[in-house]
């Protein structure tokens, strides 16, 4: 059973790998795009050439070739001049490093001459002072040039990339809608956020670093060849080895890293699916099963992550091997040249050091070069969009504007196919006339082409053939933006923008004469539109009224509130044409009545096209057009169509509600022929509340204190990581041991270097003795090379394994711990699906900054500093003290250098987060932006945000650049001090050359190397924060704890539920009372319905029965037992939940149904549950049957199919209690009928509690509870409640479908 599920997931993973691997390396870019182009040609192959051309033009993007210099496409002459200065500074700054080796060599030569051949102290001191000053001059020059080039590159990079950002957004906003259907909003989001950052990185300080590196490399060889061309040639072998090793192993590392990321991104997708459906996960108790699925992908990530660490270890080990071999070869060969009198000691030192500096500068260019290639790759995608000609270009000035618009719309013989779905013809020979001022309703099953007509009127797409006309003019010949300004659209899922209610409604005025009107006039129009849309009733209750922010995409508003704001936005401009695409589907009956009223008012004196599934909302239309499969089946008024008894009649029958019957079965007509008006709730408007006694829930809520914030110290974080790594403690100890061996290298190198230089201090008659000494020390250098190589590889391999185990363990435990939390945890703002998914991916990865390679490097550096200091103090304490006092400065420089480089990157990303969010909000709701013609407005705001950001960044980057320059120049000053002070001690004979070089190299070179540990400082900072986050998560124990073994496990469950005086408020919104003393009971086997307006507490009741939350006061009883006293898992095993939006996971249909099971099940059980859910025949008809993949979040199935699979999953549990939360509201009449039949079957023989807005679906319930303001207002059967003539009667009248 499970093996097939695993197979599904593995296949999903493989498909994912295939999909992503195409784009994983920049070199395949051209190949990938040509393959993509071939695919586009393939999918239109079956169509006639002219039709294929129309569709292709709407989606195709011609690939653009980009070279490095094309990145600077938007640079002006001033930019070019400034960049030229930057390039020159980079080149000079790079060349200064090898010049330092000349000075170093000359100083060594001075020492050797003085001790070998003698000389006056004054002459010696004079020479030393001269060279020490050269060091100082080099330091000043390095600081100046590096500061200037860093600032220029960062600043111009920011300026030019900000221009690219603006051009990209402008280009995106003018594209036709078909382009977005193909691309998906996620891809555009990642272009705006990630790709533009990559382009900026590709032309900022990285360019300077590469130029500096090249210049250092060239200058190093020039110095080498000038000083001794023979020795330089011989040592070139080592340079070639260093460069080859870095190139080859880097490519292996990149491959491993890509594979590791691919594996994790599938795991990340699973996590994202799970978090976005956490209620479903908890209701079915499948936390552990999903965690095991997630773990499979973590294993892939761990395997390739370890490989990446291993390759890094081999690379570093090999590099140190080459460096010490270079010393061995250089000193050995140098001794032979000295014996032949063809070289001086200082020249050997200069050649050795400059070649090492050159080789490393080349090696360090690799990661920076990768940034530039990534930038070029990203720019290719961005420029392709900028250069794309849009078929329907909203920014174009072409097209006619009519003097006045009547509003006659006609579709003449229209054929239409969506560019993204070329195998489905949506409209065929469509002829439809809509007269000016008419209200026309389009009804029919999902997929019959209703919304397509709206899209064609708005000119979102081009028809394949035929004409769409406005007042007799072909819309393709009209000015696109002007056309859209004559039309207002309210869609099923209205999009609001992250600003105030007032600004959202005012967006509707764009393009009208009021766009630039005075603030006061605008406000009047907005107020009047809000009143017409019945929105003022709730706007007045908001904390800041019209100025209340609606949140990103309007998430702070309920469905009904968003819908009413969207309607106000649509009617504020008094448009000639109003398009309503399911404009009231998100509303409960009461709000719907109110809003429908508003829409009826709004549609007077203008052409209105309405799409609706709830037929009660369109029965008054002038013309109802019934559609099926892209054709018109019948049209007429409500009454005409009922008389025809055709398709419309069937749709009406499916949604009909029984009338009140008298005792003899006849229908009772209303005695008072009063017209039923929609009562506005007076209490909504009456805000001033009389001060009464506090309610129970407010007293309880006041007692609930927020737990104090806990701060975790670095020590406690390290301790936690140490405990998590317990199984690998032995490996860690070995890794630490090897890291310490690495740390002793510098003091040993200092001793050998000093011995070699001292050996050279001889007159020619002692050359043979010098040769034998050098042979010994070269041999020791060679031995050191072997020891370091083995120690580095062992250390890195062991610690990489430890780190990958840790990351795997943290991810899995965090995932389990997150799923353990109760639902209130997921309600908090900081715990959105996105942030939890990124916590899993980033925090665990960041914690690696306190383990693995970083840990090895820290130990290594600590040992280097401590052993270096001890050795040098033992050898020459005076000089050691002076050198050691500079150590903090040197170590600090290393820290500063890396910290600033990391900060540059971090700042660049952070700076544009806000503007990127704004741009993403606009592009992801492009239909709304296009229909409101908000493109210029969006672009204007985005440009302002970016320009202010560039100004702000300039001050920060100038400061950082100077600091960065200083961190590069300071080491020159310290070397000058070391040599100058050392020489005064040598001159007096207090120390000899050996003591000087041991001390100098151990402390000064050692500190410089130790400073590189701070290249991990940003990682360590992130790691501390991440470890604290993880610790906080691990320590969090939820109020409803699914890990708890406590609680009574009920023997047999009958299934009766009772609420006794239950008060409840959501933990994240304690100021809003939801249930205010709810009392009701459900007997075993009853079918009970909960109805009422939005926000009255129906869905909350379902959540409380599922034990998602604890009530503030009162009791919820199962068979007379308080559910808080029961074991939460055992209790939930008796309940099944079917939600409004069914949740399916990536995997097969079989896997999704089996998730509902509590015990092991057979295929027969799955078939039985599917038959009960009316879905078995459909599944069997699919080519792969039960093994058919559902796609991410069930995307490959229709709403009705998903809902029936969700019902099968609920039934396979054999639940005693079935909870249906709006289980059919998202479906069209056809699907609803099938699903409703399935639900009626499912409800037999078990307690069922259903929440519904469409009353036709619950009219046969045993008892209906009508909720208002968190209490039961009335209850009874359908007939009893109609007889009451109260709230329920009112709701029924609003949905009635009889003849008018």
């Amino acid at each position: 059973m499970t093996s097939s599920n695993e197979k599904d997931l593995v296949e999903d993973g493989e498909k994912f790998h295939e999909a992503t691997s195409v784009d994983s390396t920049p070199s395949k870019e051209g190949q990938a795009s040509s393959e993509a182009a071939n695919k586009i040609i393939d999918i239109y192959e079956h169509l006639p050439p002219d039709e294929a051309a129309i569709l292709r033009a709407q989606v195709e993007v011609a690939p653009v070739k980009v070279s490095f210099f094309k990145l600077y496409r938007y640079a002006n002459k001033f930019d070019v001049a400034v960049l030229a200065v930057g390039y020159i500074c980079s080149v000079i700054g790079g060349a200064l490093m090898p010049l330092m080796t000349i000075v170093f060599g000359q100083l060594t030569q001075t020492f050797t001459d003085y001790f070998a051949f003698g000389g006056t102290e004054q002459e010696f001191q004079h020479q030393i002072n001269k060279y020490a000053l050269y060091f100082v001059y080099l330091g000043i020059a390095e600081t100046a040039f590096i500061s200037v080039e860093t600032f220029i590159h960062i600043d111009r990079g920011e300026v030019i990339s900000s221009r690219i950002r603006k051009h990209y957004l402008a280009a995106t906003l003018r594209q036709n809608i078909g382009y977005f259907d193909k691309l998906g909003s996620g891809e555009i989001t990642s272009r705006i956020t990630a790709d533009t950052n990559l382009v900026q990185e590709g032309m900022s300080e990285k360019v300077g670093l590469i130029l500096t590196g090249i210049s250092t490399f060239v200058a190093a060889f020039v110095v080498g060849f000038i000083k001794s061309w023979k020795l330089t040639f011989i040592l070139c072998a080592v340079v070639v080895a260093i460069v080859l090793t870095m190139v080859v192993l880097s490519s292996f590392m990149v491959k491993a890293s890509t594979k590791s990321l691919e594996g994790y991104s599938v795991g990340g997708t699973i996590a994202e699916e799970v978090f976005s459906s956490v209620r479903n996960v908890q209701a079915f108790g499948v936390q552990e099963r999903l965690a095991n699925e997630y773990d499979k992908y973590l294993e892939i990530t761990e395997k390739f992550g370890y490989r990446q660490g291993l390759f890094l270890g081999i690379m570093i080990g090999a590099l140190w091997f080459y460096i010490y071999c270079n010393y061995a070869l250089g000193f050995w060969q140098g001794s032979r040249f000295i014996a032949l009198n063809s070289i001086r000691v200082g020249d050997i030192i200069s050649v050795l050091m400059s070649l090492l500096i050159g080789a490393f500068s080349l090696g360090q260019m690799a990661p920076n070069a990768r940034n530039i290639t990534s930038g070029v790759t990203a720019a290719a995608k961005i420029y392709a969009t900028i250069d794309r000609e849009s078929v329907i270009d909203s920014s174009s000035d072409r097209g006619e504007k009519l003097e006045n618009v009547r509003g006659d719309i006609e579709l003449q013989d229209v054929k239409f196919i969506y560019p993204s779905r070329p195998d489905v013809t949506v409209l065929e020979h469509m002829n439809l006339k809509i007269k000016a001022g008419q209200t026309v309703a389009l009804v029919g099953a999902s997929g019959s082409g209703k919304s397509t007509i709206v899209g064609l009127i708005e000119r979102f797409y081009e028809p394949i053939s035929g004409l769409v006309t406005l007042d007799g003019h072909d819309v393709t010949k009209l000015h696109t933006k002007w056309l859209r300004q004559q039309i207002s659209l309210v869609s099923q899922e209205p999009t609001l923008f992250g600003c105030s209610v007032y600004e959202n409604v005012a967006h509707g005025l764009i393009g009208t004469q009021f766009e630039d009107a005075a603030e006061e006039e605008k406000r009047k129009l907005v107020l009047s539109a809000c009143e017409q849309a019945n929105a003022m009733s709730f706007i007045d209750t908001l904390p800041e009224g019209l100025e209340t922010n609606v949140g990103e995409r309007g998430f702070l508003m309920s469905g009904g509130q968003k819908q009413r704001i969207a309607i106000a936005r649509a009617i504020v401009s008094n448009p000639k044409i109003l398009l309503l695409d399911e404009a009231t589907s998100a509303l409960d009956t009461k709000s719907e009545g109110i809003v429908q009223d508003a829409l009826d008012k709004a549609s007077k004196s203008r052409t209105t096209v309405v799409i609706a599934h709830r037929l009660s909302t369109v029965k008054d239309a002038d013309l109802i057009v019934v559609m099926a499969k892209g054709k018109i089946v019948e049209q007429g008024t409500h009454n005409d169509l009922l008389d025809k008894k055709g398709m419309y009649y069937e749709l009406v029958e499916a949604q009909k509600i029984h009338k009140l019957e008298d005792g003899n079965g006849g229908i009772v007509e209303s005695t008072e022929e009063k017209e039923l008006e929609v009562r506005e709730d007076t209490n909504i408007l009456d805000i001033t509340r009389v001060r009464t006694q506090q309610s129970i829930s407010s007293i309880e809520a006041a007692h609930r204190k927020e737990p104090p914030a806990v701060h975790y110290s670095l020590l406690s974080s390290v301790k936690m990581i140490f405990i998590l790594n317990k199984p690998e403690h032995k490996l860690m100890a070995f890794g630490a041991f090897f890291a310490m061996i690495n740390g002793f290298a510098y003091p040993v190198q200092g001793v050998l270097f000093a011995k070699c230089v001292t050996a050279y201090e001889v007159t020619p008659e002692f050359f043979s003795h010098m040769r034998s000494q050098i042979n010994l020390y070269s041999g020791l250098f060679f031995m050191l090379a072997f020891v370091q190589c083995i120690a580095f590889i062992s250390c890195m391999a062991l610690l990489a394994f430890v780190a990958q185990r840790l990351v795997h363990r943290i991810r899995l435990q965090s995932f389990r711990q997150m799923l353990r939390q109760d639902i209130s945890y997921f309600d908090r703002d900081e715990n959105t699906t996105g942030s939890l998914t990124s916590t899993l991916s980033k925090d665990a990865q960041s914690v690696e900054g306190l383990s693995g390679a970083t840990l090895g490097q820290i130990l290594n550096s600590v040992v280097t500093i401590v052993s270096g200091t001890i050795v040098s103090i033992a050898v020459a304490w005076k000089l050691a003290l002076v050198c050691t006092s500079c150590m903090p400065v040197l170590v600090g420089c290393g820290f500063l250098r890396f910290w600033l480089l990391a900060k540059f990157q971090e700042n660049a990303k952070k700076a544009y987060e806000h503007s990127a969010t704004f741009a993403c909000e606009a592009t992801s709701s492009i239909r709304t932006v296009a229909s409101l013609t908000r493109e210029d407005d969006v672009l204007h705001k985005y440009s302002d945000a970016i320009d202010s950001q560039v100004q702000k960044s300039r001050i920060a980057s100038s400061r950082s650049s100077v600091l960065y320059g200083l961190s590069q120049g300071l080491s020159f000053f310290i070397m000058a001090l070391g040599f100058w002070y050392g020489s005064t001690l040598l001159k007096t004979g207090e120390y000899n050359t050996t003591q000087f070089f041991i001390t100098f190299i151990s402390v000064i070179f050692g500190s410089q190397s130790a400073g590189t540990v701070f290249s991990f400082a940003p990682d360590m900072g992130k790691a501390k924060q991440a470890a604290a986050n993880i610790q906080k998560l691990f320590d969090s124990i939820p109020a409803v704890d699914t890990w708890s073994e406590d609680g009574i496990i009920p023997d047999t469950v009958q299934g009766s539920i009772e609420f006794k005086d239950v008060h409840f408020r959501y933990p994240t919104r304690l100021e809003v009372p939801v249930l205010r003393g709810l009392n009701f009971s459900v007997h075993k086997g009853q079918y009970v319905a909960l109805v009422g307006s939005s926000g009255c507490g129906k869905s909350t009741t379902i959540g409380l029965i599922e034990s998602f939350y604890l009530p503030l006061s009162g009791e919820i009883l199962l068979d007379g037992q308080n559910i808080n006293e029961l074991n939460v898992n055992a209790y939930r095993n008796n309940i099944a939940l079917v939600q409004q939006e069914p949740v399916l996971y990536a995997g097969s249909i079989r896997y999704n149904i089996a998730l509902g099971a509590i015990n092991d099940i057979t295929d027969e059980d799955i078939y039985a549950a599917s038959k009960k859910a009316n879905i078995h025949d459909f599944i069997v008809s699919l080519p792969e049957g039960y093994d058919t993949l559902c796609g991410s979040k069930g995307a490959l199935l229709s709403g009705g199919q998903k809902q029936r699979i969700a019902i099968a999953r609920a039934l396979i549990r054999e639940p005693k209690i079935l909870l249906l939360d709006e289980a059919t509201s998202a479906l069209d009449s056809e699907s609803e009928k099938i699903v409703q039949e399935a639900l009626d079957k499912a409800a037999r023989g078990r307690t069922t509690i259903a929440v519904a807005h469409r009353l036709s679906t619950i009219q046969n319930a045993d008892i209906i509870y009508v909720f208002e303001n968190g209490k039961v207002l009335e209850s009874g059967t359908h007939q009893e409640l109609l007889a009451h003539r109260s709230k329920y009667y009112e709701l029924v009248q609003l949905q009635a479908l009889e003849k008018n």
Side-chain angles (χ1 to χ4, degrees), residues 401-548:
K401 299 179 181 180
L402 305 182
E403 278 303 308
N404 72 5
V405 178
R406 293 192 309 281
D408 288 318
I409 298 171
E410 191 176 354
L411 278 77
Q412 299 170 12
D413 197 31
V414 169
K415 178 181 183 184
F416 181 75
I417 297 174
Y418 278 105
S420 53
R421 293 205 304 276
D423 42 355
V424 183
T425 304
V426 182
L427 299 179
E428 191 131 38
H429 304 304
M430 170 59 68
N431 289 292
L432 174 65
K433 261 191 179 164
I434 299 170
K435 293 188 187 133
Q438 259 192 338
T439 295
V440 173
L442 307 177
V443 301
S446 286
S448 58
K450 306 183 297 294
S451 298
T452 304
I453 291 177
V454 167
L456 288 171
I457 295 171
E458 275 273 14
R459 203 166 169 230
F460 285 158
Y461 300 95
E462 296 284 28
I464 295 289
S465 61
L467 283 183
V468 181
T469 65
L470 170 65
D471 294 349
H473 295 266
D474 179 356
V475 295
T476 58
K477 304 280 189 294
L478 296 175
H479 187 283
T480 307
K481 206 170 242 186
W482 173 87
L483 169 71
R484 288 176 184 164
Q485 283 163 355
Q486 311 311 309
I487 303 172
S488 281
L489 168 68
V490 181
S491 53
Q492 179 172 3
E493 290 174 0
T495 303
L496 301 184
F497 299 97
C499 49
S500 67
V501 175
Y502 169 72
E503 286 170 286
N504 267 295
V505 177
H507 286 152
L509 293 171
I510 292 171
T512 66
Q513 74 262 37
F514 300 110
E515 182 176 1
D516 301 313
E519 193 62 25
E520 208 168 303
E521 195 173 352
K522 269 194 187 174
R523 200 164 273 276
K524 270 185 198 158
L525 290 167
V526 168
L527 274 168
S528 125
C530 291
E531 265 157 15
Q532 274 182 1
N534 242 307
M536 283 317 290
S537 55
F538 78 83
I539 291 174
D540 286 338
T541 65
L542 297 173
E544 294 167 57
L546 274 175
E547 299 309 318
T548 306

Side-chain angles (χ1 to χ4, degrees), residues 935-964:
E935 295 94 341
D936 293 343
D937 176 48
V938 168
L939 199 59
H940 185 67
K941 286 186 174 160
Y942 182 68
S943 295
D944 287 350
I946 280 191
D947 292 341
S948 74
Q949 190 45 58
V950 171
Q951 291 300 331
K952 265 190 223 151
S953 300
R954 195 161 282 155
I955 302 161
S957 49
S958 61
R959 249 185 264 146
S960 314
S961 303
V962 172
L963 280 174
Y964 182 63

Side-chain angles (χ1 to χ4, degrees), residues 77 100 196 240 359 364 463 503 536-537 599 677 695 706 733 868 1055 1238:
K77 284 179 181 166
M100 178 275 286
T196 48
V240 172
Q364 284 166 347
E503 286 170 286
M536 283 317 290
S537 55
L599 290 175
E677 290 173 13
S695 65
E706 272 294 299

